[in-house]
Amino acid sequence: MTALLEVAGLEVAFAAGGFTWPGQAARQVKAVNGVSFALNAGETLGLVGESGCGKTTLARAILALTEKSAGEVLFEGERVDRTSLMRLRRNAAMIFQDPFNALNPRMRVGDILAEVLRVHRKVPPDRIAARVEELLVLVGLSGEHARRKPATLSGGQCQRVGIARALAVEPKLIVADECVSALDVSIQAQIINLLIDIRSRMKLAMIFIAHDLAVVRRLCDRVCVMYLGRIVEEGATADVFSAPKHPYTQALIRAIPEIDPAGSLPRNMLPGEPPSPLDLPPGCAFHPRCPQAMDICRSGDAPVLRPAGEQRAACLLYGGVRH
Amino acid sequence: MSAPLLDIRDLSIEAHKDGERLGIVERVSFSVATGEILGLVGESGSGKTVTCRALMRLLPTRSLRISGGKIEFAGRNLVTASEAEMRHIRGARIGMIFQNPASHLDPVMRIGRQIGESLVLHLQMSPREAKAQTIELLRQVGIPDPQRRADDFPHQFSGGMRQRAMIALALACSPELLIADEPTTALDVTVQAQILRLLVELRDKRGLSIILITHDLGVVAQTCDSVAVMYAGRICEKGPKRDVLAEPLHPYTSRLIACQPSASAEAGLLPSIPGQPPSPSAWPSGCRFHPRCERAIGLCRSSAPELVTVRSNHVAACHVTAPARLADEAA
Amino acid sequence: MKAGSISLAMPVRLPVPLILGLCIIGGAVILALFAPFIAPYDPILQDTTNTLKPPSRAHPFGTDNFGRDVFSRVIWGTRVDLQMGLIGVLFPFIIGNTIGAISGYVGGIVDTIFMRIVDIVLAFPFLVLMLAIIAILGPGIGSFYIAMALVGWVSYARLIRAQTLVLKHSDFVTAARSLGFSHGRIMFRHIVPNALVASIVFSMSDVVLVILSGAAVSYLGLGVQPPTAEWGIMIAEGQNFITTAWWITTFPGLAIVALAFGFSMMADGLGELLGVRE
């Protein structure tokens, strides 16, 4: 069986700006650097990492919303390019972080959903109003909300409308970019539950981007941990959380603030902050912060993903030592 | 314990909009002892930020007004203090840091000068002394190579470093109290832990008192000594961190703890709180949490519960759980 | 505050400046429409026996050097000036917004070309460029409109282009792209309705500018031609008598001020009502 989505060697580079002498190559930032993974139908993949690690850029490149500079994306085994783009558009939808900014402030909720139905000819014109109401009920709102403008809704309600709009396409894949991080804790839980519910009801595949690992633990079958544009660890969620292999993943999981009445700050915390993507360290990009860094980590190419326990990690601690 | 450093009693804040008066914060009381870290927890709109702005007397005066209560700080009532007195207290005795340090640092002034300026202004230091003190402060908040970094502009700092610089600025005049308004919300988890560690260390070394405003009970668990939970402009529960987190009394607190996902939990649905936080123009009657509460009884709709002490320092405002716990304790 | 924050829900109430502006402009429109019934005299009828009379019961605003009733001329002038303001704004509005929106949305070489043209137009002093165009086309109100369209569009183009550039990267436009909407739909359904707010607000204050330039052009004898009753011409003709017959210039001047005030109130009110964000 071919995977629903396959990403192979994807790279996204941005011009870094700044002054360049004539003849000198323009400086580039590789926001996404050689990322490969596959996603099966109905599967949920978590994409985690700190800000600036390239997870949002990766999501946008997958949906062809950002120009990629190398690599390819295959949707249902078919290369996504200019001619096959509409196929992807009809089968994939995105949910955004800022619930207010994701909706056109001048359109009513009903019109926002109806527009998608009309453009994609999902239902005959006389069924549109009924389908809009169906969608609103599906995400826990009511038909009454169709007449409202986004500004009169709360953040949680707007996010539900955003989800309804994504579902209107009847997609096979949903990409959710930090879709709960702008919401209050009690509303966050509602939205996560809604996603879990519709995912199983509609057999959706989902790419769930988050910096909050605890949320990923709840929602995802598999998880990819990104650091500075590369995937550093990839595996089943349960494996990655119970026995993280890459020192970065270990530090991330240690740093999750758990509600433990006797809790205190974690010991051996990760020092420093991620370096600027403009000025990546040689070797493993994580080595300046890594408590277990060895001499071989400090030079040469970045390590590649290799089997480490049940999952895969891009770390020289798990073999792949070069001579 | 001797008299607390900060003692807020029945503080109420009103908003005036188009001739209407809305109670934004109602009869909020809490105190912070010297060297204590208090977590002030609540969702957006619960009034936690407004409360702390009020105690700095930094409310936008045209729309918000303190309508009652007192704020006693080191024996002085800040509600009635003159503006000149407040200017001295702000910065010199109470420091404040924010969620987004970038917007609270002057982008065109070198970090070192911003800190030095406040030293010269409040402590009448000579520029030379101020410079030395600034570098020492930057070193204390963990900025590497402070001598050189003092000459950098804010945009040359990373997010975590900016928050450290903000803390150095807030600490410049050795305040007794630091108000930290969601100081780590905009930071990555690994950096968040570093900043929280810094705050705890400052408390340990300087005996600083801290009010940590946050929506994350996990952060409270890691850093605070005591916690006050706010919902819809009122405090619904407060007490020592261990008691509140281990045996939460108010249904809102229990649900809030339950619905925060945990990394150790299995996959599956999360417990959640139905509905959404109310707005000041439409506060529910009685206990403001009752429309979302699964344990609500008839009384909750009609009368607002008072805070009841159930164990030393652990108080909660609930018609259902507080009396039940009191009965348990008595038995 | 975070996105979940609660806004104080208030019923929609029209801002006071908007109501005030609407009243003034509404009054002007009524005067313009019913000028023949309201004005007591023919605005161009000369009465040489009755020249330079100060305001009286028969002539509330007095008479001018040809014995024409200033009150009637001010009322008839409303017709000309209002029309001049509205038409003078309409063409720049349409041209500027279309060019600016396309320029901002398409970007690249198209954007560069249009923006260089804007720079060139802006490099000339506004009034000088207008007078030059009118001089080439020959005096008259038609020339004035053409000159206005050729010069005035740049402000709208710059305004809406800036808005478009911001909106182009907003989440709801990205959402529209991710849903496979066509460029036309994204531009006209999603970007333009949001970007247009600033242009509409600006157009209200631009009306004032156009009326003043129209009056200035007429004053210089290049716009509306005498004996038509137009405020700018009236002021021009009355200036020789400013010390002896102040009423000839004062009342049309006040009329311009009142209409300008009305439109700027309208701009304020609309800005408040439409807001950058609702």
Side-chain angles (χ1 to χ4, degrees), chain A residues 130-188:
Chain A
R131 177 67 180 147
V132 165
E133 183 159 351
E134 240 173 72
L135 284 166
L136 287 172
V137 171
L138 185 67
V139 296
L141 299 170
S142 70
E144 181 263 329
H145 290 102
R147 286 188 300 276
R148 306 264 291 267
K149 287 214 176 160
T152 65
L153 301 177
S154 70
Q157 289 171 327
C158 280
Q159 198 54 285
R160 287 175 193 270
V161 175
I163 294 171
R165 177 178 58 190
L167 294 178
V169 192
E170 294 163 33
K172 292 175 180 160
L173 170 69
I174 281 190
V175 177
D177 184 7
E178 297 269 13
C179 69
V180 295
S181 59
L183 303 173
D184 274 318
V185 183
S186 70
I187 309 298
Q188 238 179 40

Side-chain angles (χ1 to χ4, degrees), chain B residues 158-178:
Chain B
S158 65
M161 285 299 152
R162 255 181 244 148
Q163 194 56 280
R164 284 174 195 271
M166 186 83 214
I167 293 173
L169 184 60
L171 293 180
C173 306
S174 317
E176 293 123 282
L177 177 68
L178 179 71

Side-chain angles (χ1 to χ4, degrees), chain C residues 13 32 59 61 75 110 125 127 129 137 140 155-156 196 202 205 209 213 238 270 278:
Chain C
R13 201 181 291 175
H59 299 280
F61 291 176
I75 289 172
V110 176
L127 211 54
L129 187 57
L137 296 171
S155 326
Y156 294 94
L196 217 50
F202 175 72
S205 43
L209 201 73
S213 344
L270 269 182
E278 271 181 279

Side-chain angles (χ1 to χ4, degrees), chain B residues 207-249:
Chain B
L208 186 68
S209 304
I210 300 174
I211 298 178
L212 183 66
I213 303 175
T214 178
H215 64 275
D216 189 339
L217 283 166
V219 168
V220 171
Q222 287 180 332
T223 50
C224 297
D225 304 308
S226 53
V227 53
V229 182
M230 284 188 79
Y231 184 79
R234 291 180 184 155
I235 286 188
C236 60
E237 179 161 8
K238 67 181 173 186
K241 169 196 80 176
R242 274 167 197 270
D243 294 354
V244 173
L245 294 187
E247 297 175 67
L249 265 175

Side-chain angles (χ1 to χ4, degrees), chain A residues 60 64-65 86 89 92-94 96 98-107 115-116 119-120 149 151 155 165 169 182-184, chain C residues 2-5 7 169-182 185 189-191 193-194 197 274-278:
Chain A
R60 291 188 180 220
L65 296 169
M86 266 325 271
R89 294 273 181 262
M94 187 160 176
F96 296 82
D98 179 345
F100 292 107
N101 197 13
L103 304 177
N104 186 340
R106 306 231 160 257
M107 284 169 84
E115 185 179 30
V116 181
V119 168
H120 288 280
K149 287 214 176 160
R165 177 178 58 190
V169 192
L183 303 173
D184 274 318
Chain C
K2 289 191 304 174
S5 75
S7 64
H169 296 289
S170 70
D171 282 349
F172 70 86
V173 172
T174 309
R177 284 175 62 206
S178 78
L179 290 164
F181 293 174
S182 66
R185 175 176 289 274
R189 289 274 290 164
H190 296 270
I191 294 182
N194 286 288
V197 175
L274 299 171
V276 184
R277 296 214 132 218
E278 271 181 279

Side-chain angles (χ1 to χ4, degrees), chain A residues 56-76:
Chain A
T56 295
T57 310
L58 173 59
R60 291 188 180 220
I62 289 170
L63 291 181
L65 296 169
T66 295
E67 208 74 36
K68 56 183 188 286
S69 45
E72 52 189 41
V73 176
L74 289 96
F75 190 79
E76 294 184 313

Side-chain angles (χ1 to χ4, degrees), chain B residues 8 10-14 22-30 40-52 67 228-237 252 277-284 286-289 304-305 307 317, chain C residues 1 6:
Chain B
I8 297 184
D10 294 327
L11 180 70
S12 298
I13 299 166
E14 277 179 354
L22 303 168
I24 301 291
V25 168
E26 233 169 72
R27 296 188 52 208
V28 161
S29 304
F30 60 83
L40 195 56
V41 180
E43 297 181 275
S44 44
S46 62
K48 54 193 196 304
T49 297
V50 174
T51 304
C52 288
S67 56
V229 182
M230 284 188 79
Y231 184 79
R234 291 180 184 155
I235 286 188
C236 60
E237 179 161 8
Y252 176 63
S279 83
S281 54
W283 291 135
C287 171
R288 286 176 181 167
F289 187 58
L307 283 168
Chain C
M1 281 234 174
I6 302 149

Side-chain angles (χ1 to χ4, degrees), chain C residues 77 80-86 88-89 126-127 130-131 134 141 144-145 148 203-224 230-233 235-236 252-264:
Chain C
V80 180
D81 281 81
L82 205 55
Q83 186 191 332
M84 202 161 65
L86 295 178
V89 159
F126 177 76
L127 211 54
M130 262 196 34
L131 293 178
I134 296 174
I141 188 77
F144 171 71
Y145 290 146
M148 212 57 230
S203 73
M204 286 299 119
S205 43
D206 198 31
V207 171
V208 178
L209 201 73
V210 172
I211 291 176
L212 292 178
S213 344
V217 168
S218 302
Y219 175 91
L220 294 172
L222 293 171
V224 179
E230 193 277 334
W231 299 336
I233 299 173
I235 295 172
L254 284 176
I256 293 178
V257 170
L259 196 60
F261 179 73
F263 275 107
S264 39

